[in-house]
Amino acid sequence: MTKSRRRWLTPLGSWVLGVLGLWSAPLLVNVDPEATFDSPGPNHLAWWAGLALLTIQAMALAWRSTHPSAILVATAATALVGGAVGLGDSVGVLSVAVVVAAFSWGLRAEYGGAWPAPLAAAVLVGVGTLLSGEPAGSGLVQGLGVVGLPLTIGLWLRGRHELAAAQQEQLRARAGELEARIQAAVAHERTAMARELHDIAAHHLSGIAVMTAAIGTQIDTDPAAAKRAVHQVRQECTGVLKDLRSLVGLLREEGPAAEPSAAGMRPESLANIGELVHDVRSAGIDVSTDVLNRGDELGAGIGPLAQLTAYRMVQESLANAARHAPGTQCTVIIDDTDPSQLTVEVTNSPGERGTEPNSAVGFGLVGMRERADLTSSRLDYGPTASGGWSVRLRVPRQDAATQEAA
């Protein structure tokens, strides 16, 4: 059914009901001549006037959606005209269109400034009832019933629709907010994964690059050393796979299937820095370590995330030294003597002649800065007075209460 046909369906139904009422009212008088029911028949001019008023009402109802207040008043005015032309008790057939118009007003009319329309319609219907010969009480009841009751039902249905629409809008807003939070969380996790992958790749691939450069010069002059270097390259490749597998294991959902593999995939800590330096030294990089400890456990009061930050800082700094200043001497200092903080510093000497330390802030330094911010640590880096490069991380200690809460 097209929109145009739906527009005329209700007015047509109203017209049919009104005509049936107008046609059947005189028959009631013929059935019971002693009845006090006063209604003109088709042989009276008033009956034809009522038919014309019903037709006018039906035509007016076609615009009830766009002009609800005007159509309500217009249909109610026809009831006044019907009472004036002598429809008598048949004036009630004109109330069908008024009921439809009042219901439409409740569904569509604007609240502000529109209330005079239903009040005027109720008055017009009441006066029309009085002109038909009914007492004043009947006119009041007719006006309130024909206009007030359908209008109230329309307002109630409208309120239900608006409430449902508001709830749907609220659900959409919540869904949008949840989606935004999910996207932010995904972006944060992507950044963290990119940082981890950069640290892993930079550390191992830098070592592989150094060792393959040595293999190129040793393969003809010192085959035994070249074989040892190839073995070290293989170890570095195995280390890459191990670290990547560890990262993937941490990203997997926790569950019974993940527990066996997760047991051997613990985040790196301060205690593992010695092993890290040993691996780097095995790759042909000159690295020395100096640990200053108070006698307690290394890194006491430093949380797991902060220890991982320090480990990654050393790993990335050594990789940068091998990449940007090959052949330099590196020093890793872990100062655990300050009760309030732990300091980790990585320094490399000036590069070989013709090479200069790269002071550009790449993704490695950006990752260090992000990790330091996450743990409330302080990261400083820059060239040294001798022309080398230094990276220093100061990690604050947690007190006992904070550590237990964490």
Side-chain angles (χ1 to χ4, degrees), residues 53-96:
L53 292 173
L54 287 173
T55 305
I56 294 173
Q57 284 182 329
M59 296 178 64
L61 287 178
W63 285 271
R64 67 191 183 280
S65 299
T66 55
H67 302 86
S69 296
I71 299 305
L72 176 59
V73 174
T75 54
T78 58
L80 176 63
V81 175
V85 299
L87 277 178
D89 293 329
S90 294
V91 74
V93 299
L94 300 173
S95 300
V96 177

Side-chain angles (χ1 to χ4, degrees), residues 210-230:
V210 172
M211 287 183 288
T212 52
I215 293 174
T217 59
Q218 294 174 346
I219 193 168
D220 294 327
T221 59
D222 192 353
K227 290 181 180 181
R228 289 193 298 270
V230 169

Side-chain angles (χ1 to χ4, degrees), residues 179-355:
E179 181 65 21
R181 291 183 177 180
I182 291 175
Q183 293 297 331
V186 170
H188 176 74
E189 290 301 324
R190 285 177 176 175
T191 302
M193 291 174 61
R195 184 169 55 239
E196 291 290 338
L197 290 173
H198 177 274
D199 292 346
I200 292 172
H203 167 62
H204 291 288
L205 295 181
S206 297
I208 292 174
V210 172
M211 287 183 288
T212 52
I215 293 174
T217 59
Q218 294 174 346
I219 193 168
D220 294 327
T221 59
D222 192 353
K227 290 181 180 181
R228 289 193 298 270
V230 169
H231 178 69
Q232 291 175 351
V233 169
R234 181 179 179 182
Q235 289 181 335
E236 286 293 330
C237 294
T238 303
V240 172
L241 295 176
K242 178 182 177 182
D243 288 344
L244 291 177
R245 191 180 298 113
S246 176
L247 177 60
V248 172
L250 292 175
L251 294 175
R252 289 184 182 274
E253 294 181 356
E254 295 182 359
E259 289 177 0
S261 59
M265 298 178 181
R266 298 178 181 177
E268 290 81 353
S269 62
L270 292 170
N272 301 127
I273 292 180
E275 298 179 5
L276 171 65
V277 172
H278 179 269
D279 294 339
V280 173
R281 189 182 295 116
S282 301
I285 301 176
D286 187 5
V287 186
S288 61
T289 307
D290 190 5
V291 179
L292 306 177
N293 198 348
R294 295 177 297 174
D296 301 333
E297 178 184 357
L298 182 63
I302 305 297
L305 182 59
Q307 292 200 29
L308 174 60
T309 299
Y311 182 94
R312 291 300 189 193
M313 172 265 188
V314 174
Q315 186 182 55
E316 177 63 21
S317 298
L318 293 177
N320 286 343
R323 183 167 56 252
H324 300 297
T328 62
Q329 181 180 4
C330 300
T331 303
V332 178
I333 301 176
I334 303 177
D335 188 353
D336 196 22
T337 58
D338 192 333
S340 61
Q341 66 179 11
L342 178 139
T343 302
V344 180
E345 183 177 4
V346 179
T347 305
N348 62 270
S349 61
E352 297 177 351
R353 181 173 300 179
T355 63

